[in-house]
Amino acid sequence: MNLSSLAIQEAATALREKKFSSVELTQSCLDAIKKHDGDVRAFTTVCEESALANARAADALLAANKAPSILTGIPVALKDVFCTKGINTTAASNILKDFKPAYDATTVKKLAAAGMVMLGKTNTDEFTCGSSTETSCYGTTHNPWNLDCTPGGSSGGSSAAVAAGECLYALGTDTGGSIRQPAAYCGITGLKVTYGRVSRFGVISMASSLDSIGPMTKSAWDSAAVLQEIAGHDEHDTTTPNVAVPDYLAELAKADVAGMTIGLPKEYFIKGTDPEVDAAVRTAIEVLVKKGAKIKEISLPHSPYGLAVYYVLCPSEVSANMARYDGIRMGPGPTKEPKDLAEYYFNTRGEGFGAEMKRRIMMGTYTLSSGYYDAYYTKAQKVRTLVMRDFDEAFKDVDVIITPVTPSTAFKIGENSNDPVKMYLEDIFTVSVNVAGLPGLAVPVGFSSQKMPIGMQIIGPMFSEAKLLQVGHVYQQETSWHKERAMK
Amino acid sequence: MLYNILGSLLVTDAFLVYLIDMLTREQVLHIAKLARLGISDAEVEKFQVQLSGIISYIDKLNEVNTDGVEPTAQVTGLLNCLRTDEVLSEPLANADDLLSSSRNNDAATHSILVPNVFE
């Protein structure tokens, strides 16, 4: 097995036992990128020299027994929306082509302080708007389990890089399912945190009342280790509440589901879901029942409206966030010589944004425009309150809620590209979690007959990441799906 | 739930034209103007169909009774987070780096050049 196929937990132990060095581990990742990424196309930028320099620095810390964290010397890939000082950060959009930020995102700073080895930046749907990585200006990423399929999205570059063994873990962002859905499609573990649990300072915004950041890893244990380093209040992000950060790995060591009640919402176990997905998730729940968990059928009555709420709030907030891209302070500007400033903006934005971005900007501009704001945006915010109340009610009776991550396994590249509403349905089981601001963990629970990965979603109350990771960890101690590797 | 939504999917873009109120060409151009977004004639036609399809989908929110329900803008309930107004001892980024991230950076004047606003 290549070193790059290892999980953080194994690699961190081996680094301390001097079985190999961070330079060797990093070189193994760079070799895997050279071998596989021509097919997978997960990376938008690879930072070979600086990664090896990071690794040498980490080796020095490890040799002196001064490693600041479990993550010291562990190679990571960052979705190309995390600002990295002096390194291309493009959101996979032509409008930010060749943009090099003047500072690091808070999460990047924190991981640097933990001794990370930064391998490079990964592909995403343009400005994270999509469910397949197909709207990227770099072209689509391919699923390591079947190159004809999408890796999901928008964090499809990150999920594919982890699944292809090109890195040990990655960071992604999740606004409507963009960590959990690609994690499920690529057979890895992905955590969407509570809104505000992880600072978004220096991460390119999509929809500000929904965006969150999280780890994409090879196990729940690894996600706990990464979350430990990035969670917490940040004075530069006023949406991060001052809630204490637990010791996630200590919590995992106590993991036990005996006596826990798992809610199964009837609105998420329905005809229309691929029977193989349904069966794999139910089998996974049985594993937890054997470990002492109890099952309770519940109802989240406003679930059918979650996606409609999302597709008002998200494009509205996207259109507001995209207003800053005027081609003057960032990006290449227009190719055609404009006759005035207004035309400069029209040309910059018309040339710079791709089809999906234009669609969302148009949609959001419409729903926020005079005369429609109350009918759409305020109405959606009211239904949002009802979606949140459904979850509040449910969590009076159950500890966590379990659902499939997606109704089916990864679809073929190009299959949904011309039908925006069909593409939006990819997020049907994940969006309500963002609408309510809750954490959700995607865990691999098996494969379809076509050998495509299937994911289970574990949802909890706000700031219950430790509990979700415990459930995921208990499951992964009983099963080995998370140890399956797509590429040798 | 999925069935209801799948029902609305089975109609193709072309068929949608007959089912729902279409945005007019003028409405689409007006939205593009508000968004300062240059779009082609082909895109105007495409958005007439696609935006109308999405609007008819989100109109299902009208099925929900929201009388007396407060809107939620921020899920964690934080409000007006302020900091003291003081100069940071260590700036988050230096001015030269920030200026150099713009291709319109003019080193001589230490500024970003923009097209003329006045004739």
Side-chain angles (χ1 to χ4, degrees):
Chain A
M1 190 190 247
N2 294 323
L3 299 182
S4 68
S5 302
L6 295 172
I8 297 170
Q9 187 176 17
E10 304 154 330
T13 306
L15 284 172
R16 279 155 187 79
E17 290 170 351
K18 312 280 187 273
K19 287 188 176 155
F20 50 79
S21 67
S22 173
V23 169
E24 287 168 309
L25 181 61
T26 302
Q27 191 58 54
S28 168
C29 292
L30 293 168
D31 291 345
I33 292 169
K34 286 198 184 91
K35 188 172 169 194
H36 299 307
D37 216 50
D39 295 328
V40 175
R41 303 176 70 86
F43 281 83
T44 58
T45 303
V46 178
C47 305
E48 182 165 351
E49 279 179 33
S50 60
L52 288 168
N54 289 162
R56 284 190 291 271
D59 279 334
L61 288 169
L62 286 159
N65 284 325
K66 284 183 180 163
S69 146
I70 288 161
L71 302 184
T72 305
I74 306 288
V76 58
L78 303 173
K79 188 176 183 177
D80 204 16
V81 292
F82 288 81
C83 280
T84 43
K85 187 177 177 181
I87 298 169
N88 272 12
T89 301
T90 68
S93 177
N94 282 319
I95 211 161
L96 275 179
K97 196 165 179 240
D98 297 329
F99 173 62
K100 290 182 174 58
Y103 61 94
D104 282 328
T106 296
T107 38
V108 176
K109 266 190 185 163
K110 285 185 164 187
L111 288 183
M116 75 164 170
V117 172
M118 210 286 279
L119 289 168
K121 310 297 282 290
T122 56
N123 203 12
T124 163
D125 283 289
E126 186 175 3
F127 283 102
T128 77
C129 291
S131 307
S132 65
T133 329
E134 290 169 290
T135 69
S136 162
C137 74
Y138 298 103
T140 189
T141 297
H142 298 254
N143 191 313
W145 292 96
N146 178 346
L147 295 170
D148 293 333
C149 291
T150 88
S154 64
S155 307
S158 287
S159 66
V162 174
E166 297 174 338
C167 59
L168 273 76
Y169 72 103
L171 290 190
T173 63
D174 190 318
T175 304
S178 282
I179 285 176
R180 291 158 288 156
Q181 183 252 22
Y185 278 6
C186 290
I188 67 166
T189 303
L191 175 65
K192 178 240 177 271
V193 300
T194 306
Y195 182 79
R197 175 74 294 185
V198 174
S199 165
R200 300 177 299 175
F201 179 71
V203 177
I204 296 171
S205 304
M206 173 191 172
S208 298
S209 83
L210 301 159
D211 292 342
S212 64
I213 286 165
M216 303 179 76
T217 63
K218 295 169 188 174
S219 69
W221 194 96
D222 282 13
S223 279
V226 177
L227 182 60
Q228 196 71 58
E229 299 302 327
I230 61 175
H233 172 70
D234 177 12
E235 60 178 343
H236 302 308
D237 178 352
T238 54
T239 63
T240 52
N242 220 330
V243 174
V245 177
D247 184 336
Y248 292 108
L249 288 175
E251 293 294 316
L252 272 207
K254 297 186 280 189
D256 187 0
V257 296
M260 192 179 263
T261 306
I262 298 171
L264 306 183
K266 63 180 165 90
E267 293 84 0
Y268 287 68
F269 288 89
I270 46 175
K271 290 176 186 172
T273 294
D274 182 335
E276 291 185 334
V277 171
D278 190 82
V281 173
R282 288 182 191 276
T283 305
I285 293 164
E286 279 306 309
V287 172
L288 296 170
V289 169
K290 284 209 180 79
K291 297 297 288 180
K294 288 177 295 200
I295 297 297
K296 183 177 168 65
E297 187 174 293
I298 58 168
S299 175
L300 299 167
H302 292 92
S303 298
Y305 302 102
L307 197 65
V309 170
Y310 181 79
Y311 276 102
V312 175
L313 300 182
C314 168
S316 300
E317 296 177 16
V318 164
S319 74
N321 275 327
M322 294 304 124
R324 76 190 63 172
Y325 299 107
D326 55 9
I328 288 173
R329 291 158 302 157
M330 298 162 280
T335 55
K336 281 182 290 186
E337 191 59 35
K339 68 175 191 298
D340 55 21
L341 186 61
E343 199 176 282
Y344 186 100
Y345 295 147
F346 277 101
N347 292 353
T348 294
R349 293 162 63 78
E351 293 170 16
F353 286 122
E356 177 62 24
M357 291 316 294
K358 286 186 183 173
R359 184 153 52 230
R360 293 204 194 190
I361 291 168
M362 292 287 288
M363 194 61 225
T365 304
Y366 175 77
T367 49
L368 291 182
S369 63
S370 174
Y372 294 99
Y373 184 96
D374 281 335
Y376 290 110
Y377 197 70
T378 309
K379 178 75 183 184
Q381 286 185 313
K382 288 180 178 174
V383 182
R384 179 179 204 174
T385 305
L386 297 174
V387 171
M388 292 171 71
R389 278 186 202 162
D390 283 355
F391 281 108
D392 286 346
E393 282 301 310
F395 287 126
K396 286 177 183 165
D397 295 328
V398 302
D399 296 291
V400 296
I401 292 170
I402 289 184
T403 77
V405 179
T406 54
S408 57
T409 56
F411 54 93
K412 290 267 164 62
I413 290 168
E415 195 176 312
N416 290 347
S417 331
N418 294 322
D419 189 340
V421 179
K422 182 144 189 259
M423 187 68 98
Y424 296 169
L425 279 167
E426 279 301 309
D427 300 327
I428 191 151
F429 293 151
T430 49
V431 283
S432 291
V433 173
N434 298 75
V435 166
L438 305 174
L441 179 70
V443 175
V445 293
F447 291 87
S448 70
S449 48
Q450 303 293 311
K451 190 69 181 165
M452 292 307 287
I454 295 169
M456 163 172 85
Q457 175 173 234
I458 311 166
I459 306 166
M462 282 196 164
F463 299 102
S464 68
E465 284 83 359
K467 196 189 290 176
L468 305 188
L469 291 163
Q470 284 179 333
V471 176
H473 185 59
V474 166
Y475 177 76
Q476 290 182 339
Q477 286 184 312
E478 300 298 313
T479 57
S480 59
W481 302 116
H482 62 294
K483 292 180 180 161
E484 299 270 340
R485 297 288 180 260
M487 290 182 155
K488 298 285 178 263
Chain B
M1 167 178 73
L2 199 59
Y3 262 13
N4 287 343
I5 298 163
L6 286 176
S8 68
L9 294 185
L10 297 175
V11 290
T12 62
D13 277 2
F15 189 54
L16 270 175
V17 175
Y18 303 102
L19 281 183
I20 53 178
D21 289 336
M22 286 277 290
L23 290 177
T24 65
R25 188 182 159 75
E26 289 65 36
Q27 283 174 305
V28 170
L29 285 169
H30 180 64
I31 300 166
K33 187 182 172 197
L34 292 174
R36 300 291 183 270
L37 192 62
I39 57 174
S40 66
D41 284 346
E43 285 174 314
V44 172
E45 281 180 31
K46 186 179 83 175
F47 285 136
Q48 277 185 269
V49 177
Q50 291 185 342
L51 298 186
S52 304
I54 299 168
I55 291 164
S56 81
Y57 177 69
I58 62 181
D59 273 340
K60 73 191 261 113
L61 290 176
N62 292 324
E63 297 166 11
V64 185
N65 181 353
T66 53
D67 292 349
V69 177
E70 286 294 313
T72 297
Q74 218 282 45
V75 291
T76 48
L78 289 175
L79 206 61
N80 296 338
C81 299
L82 305 174
R83 65 169 176 83
T84 49
D85 184 17
E86 34 184 43
V87 178
L88 296 173
S89 55
E90 202 183 323
L92 288 164
N94 76 51
D96 285 331
D97 286 345
L98 285 167
L99 284 168
S100 69
S101 63
S102 171
R103 77 193 166 87
N104 298 314
N105 173 30
D106 185 62
T109 57
H110 209 61
S111 55
I112 291 176
L113 301 180
V114 299
N116 283 338
V117 180
F118 302 109
E119 294 295 322

